[in-house]
Amino acid sequence: MSRPQRVRVPWRVVTSSLYADSAVTVYVKVGALAQRPEGCTASVRYLSGLLGIARSTVERALTQLMRPAPDDEVVELTSYRRTHPGGTGTTAVRRVRQQSRTELGAWVPSRAAEALSPRQLRAYLALSYAVATKHHITLAEIGEVLRHRTGKKAGEALNTRSVRKVLNSLEDLGWITIDRRAGLHGRHIYSVHEEPVQLCLEADGADSEEGSGGDLGEGSLATEEDLRTDSPDDEAAGEIRRRREQVVARGPVENPAVETTGATGKQAYAGPGLTLAPRIWRVLEPVHHLLGDMTTYVIRRAAREIGSQLDRGVAPAQLHARLQHRVACTEEIRNPGGWLLGAGLTHRGCGRATCESGTDWTTGDRCRECLADAARQTETPPRTKPVPRPPKPAARRSWHECDDCGRPSPQPIPSGRCRDCRPNHDTAGRLT
């Protein structure tokens, strides 16, 4: 398959606040069609339908590109009207400005203008230029390129949260790959693809002999553009082409026209087909031979777990090495899905993303947090059971005696004589 047609967009068009996002999209498509000998003869209606934007938006974009820029008086696009010999008008011929070799510019495949929204295309161009110049671009720098185009914040840079959403959508579509926190000072590393790279796995497995791209050696024939708009292969851009590989799970296929139910009475899975992002597929490379024995639900759960760990800062190579090591250390895997969710992907160690079973992944040394926890556990004395206090001794009782008969009494005797001796003492007193 031939290399996709590409267009070189001036860097001043990408970064200037004078050009709307739609102007960049229109420039790419007009530049691709203008590579034909007769130039771009497409009408505004044709461009609108091709790019999926309104005709008025296309007309405003063409006007911006045909007007001299206020800062440097440069005209990016020229348009020449034509008429038939009889006097009736026809579509104009449009051509883009010839760029010098010293001028900065970013390369973009022409099909990206049709597949991406104007804002996504502008972000794609910024990443393409950063990758070509080996610049570790940040989210704030991308926000300076995109900017707000309308409203009260017109001209201001996009915040990092909005930029992150745009980049995530580009990654989901397969146009870029993001290795998070893998670059200098914890920055992301971006890979830009000339065509969408999306590795898919069917829901229940497919061994079909027909259909678009049903076999590993075949594929859809609707991937080539019109030969009249293809550009010669230009190696001056310094880009590396990555060929898409299609991986299809093998297994029996149920007839979709017949509703099948199992022994439990439940209908077969009829949901959307399973699609794995490129970063997820690369992490699962050591267990590719086990995916055929897993259900769609299990693979989706594994993909979510991998995505969650990658978002927390775990390196893709770290997850890949973890699966490779644990597969090699396991003698027999009877339940591939349960093993992958319960043992293969489980993060062991402390809460740090770089801690891998007590070892720092970035340096190879013992994890400092794990060593500190072990030291604290050894320094803490073992807990002993509290010794019960002895019960307080009971207060001794003082006994009292009668003055006459000497009878003991636990209670005090007010008059000094007991009840029996008191009458006799009172009688003797009266007689005297």
Side-chain angles (χ1 to χ4, degrees):
M1 186 176 65
S2 60
R3 191 172 188 175
Q5 182 191 16
R6 297 176 303 148
V7 178
R8 191 172 189 269
V9 183
W11 187 239
R12 59 179 302 276
V13 175
V14 179
T15 58
S16 177
S17 59
L18 302 175
Y19 300 102
D21 296 337
S22 57
V24 180
T25 302
V26 172
Y27 181 94
V28 172
K29 203 59 193 177
V30 172
L33 297 175
Q35 293 180 7
R36 298 182 295 182
E38 63 273 21
C40 174
T41 59
S43 63
V44 174
R45 177 178 297 179
Y46 178 78
L47 292 174
S48 174
L50 199 63
L51 301 175
I53 55 181
R55 292 178 57 184
S56 59
T57 304
V58 176
E59 291 175 352
R60 285 194 298 268
L62 292 173
T63 303
Q64 289 180 358
L65 294 171
M66 289 187 296
R67 287 179 178 176
D71 51 356
D72 51 11
E73 299 294 330
V74 175
V75 178
E76 294 293 345
L77 188 145
T78 57
S79 179
Y80 300 94
R81 294 185 177 273
R82 299 183 300 168
T83 56
H84 291 298
T88 57
T90 182
T91 57
V93 178
R94 300 181 177 90
R95 298 182 186 276
V96 296
R97 175 178 59 87
Q98 188 69 25
Q99 306 175 41
S100 63
R101 290 188 174 272
T102 58
E103 184 178 357
L104 302 180
W107 289 91
V108 61
S110 60
R111 68 182 63 177
E114 305 175 22
L116 302 177
S117 66
R119 175 154 290 181
Q120 290 174 344
L121 181 64
R122 202 161 199 159
Y124 178 87
L125 280 165
L127 292 177
S128 177
Y129 181 80
V131 171
T133 56
K134 298 181 180 180
H135 172 64
H136 295 278
I137 194 169
T138 62
L139 297 180
E141 292 174 343
I142 300 176
E144 291 287 344
V145 175
L146 299 181
R147 296 183 177 275
H148 292 278
R149 302 297 168 179
T150 58
K152 297 180 179 180
K153 296 184 179 180
E156 298 181 8
L158 245 64
N159 55 28
T160 56
R161 183 177 181 181
S162 301
V163 174
R164 191 179 295 110
K165 290 181 180 180
V166 176
L167 298 184
N168 290 339
S169 63
L170 284 175
E171 185 182 23
D172 294 339
L173 295 174
W175 285 95
I176 64 172
T177 302
I178 306 176
D179 293 332
R180 290 171 171 79
R181 303 299 180 186
L184 183 66
H185 302 303
R187 297 179 181 178
H188 301 335
I189 295 180
Y190 301 95
S191 300
V192 180
H193 309 296
E194 292 184 348
E195 58 182 6
V197 178
Q198 192 73 18
L199 300 172
C200 302
L201 192 68
E202 297 295 335
D204 296 327
D207 194 9
S208 173
E209 296 180 357
E210 299 179 357
S212 176
D215 198 1
L216 294 176
E218 300 177 359
S220 175
L221 300 179
T223 57
E224 296 183 358
E225 293 189 5
D226 188 359
L227 295 178
R228 300 180 64 186
T229 61
D230 284 344
S231 62
D233 191 9
D234 184 7
E235 299 295 342
E239 299 180 0
I240 300 177
R241 176 189 174 195
R242 297 183 179 179
R243 189 173 183 179
R244 179 176 61 180
E245 297 179 0
Q246 185 180 11
V247 179
V248 181
R250 300 297 182 181
V253 177
E254 300 292 342
N255 186 1
V258 181
E259 294 184 359
T260 58
T261 57
T264 59
K266 297 182 179 180
Q267 293 186 358
Y269 176 79
L274 178 62
T275 302
L276 297 180
R279 62 170 187 164
I280 305 297
W281 183 255
R282 286 193 295 270
V283 170
L284 290 174
E285 189 271 334
V287 295
H288 281 177
H289 62 285
L290 300 176
L291 298 182
D293 298 330
M294 300 182 192
T295 62
T296 304
Y297 171 75
V298 172
I299 298 177
R300 277 202 176 99
R301 283 191 57 186
R304 293 192 187 101
E305 176 62 24
I306 294 173
S308 176
Q309 294 192 28
L310 292 177
D311 294 339
R312 291 199 304 265
V314 180
Q318 179 180 349
L319 273 175
H320 183 278
R322 181 192 304 172
L323 287 176
Q324 190 174 16
H325 173 73
R326 293 180 182 177
V327 166
C329 295
T330 306
E331 296 182 358
E332 182 181 2
I333 301 177
R334 298 181 180 180
N335 184 3
W339 177 88
L340 181 62
L341 296 176
L345 294 174
T346 303
H347 182 250
R348 299 171 185 171
C350 62
R352 299 172 64 248
T354 57
C355 179
E356 187 66 29
S357 300
T359 303
D360 195 325
W361 171 257
T362 57
T363 61
D365 301 331
R366 291 293 303 274
C367 178
R368 297 180 179 179
E369 294 293 335
C370 294
L371 290 176
D373 292 341
R376 284 192 293 268
Q377 292 178 2
T378 56
E379 292 176 359
T380 303
R383 294 183 178 180
T384 57
K385 294 183 178 180
V387 179
R389 295 182 179 180
K392 294 182 179 181
R396 294 183 178 181
R397 292 183 178 181
S398 58
W399 291 82
H400 305 274
E401 296 180 358
C402 179
D403 296 340
D404 293 345
C405 64
R407 180 183 296 178
S409 172
Q411 301 297 333
I413 303 175
S415 59
R417 294 175 178 78
C418 63
R419 183 181 301 175
D420 297 336
C421 296
R422 189 178 302 122
N424 298 333
H425 183 272
D426 294 341
T427 303
R430 285 195 297 267
L431 293 176
T432 59

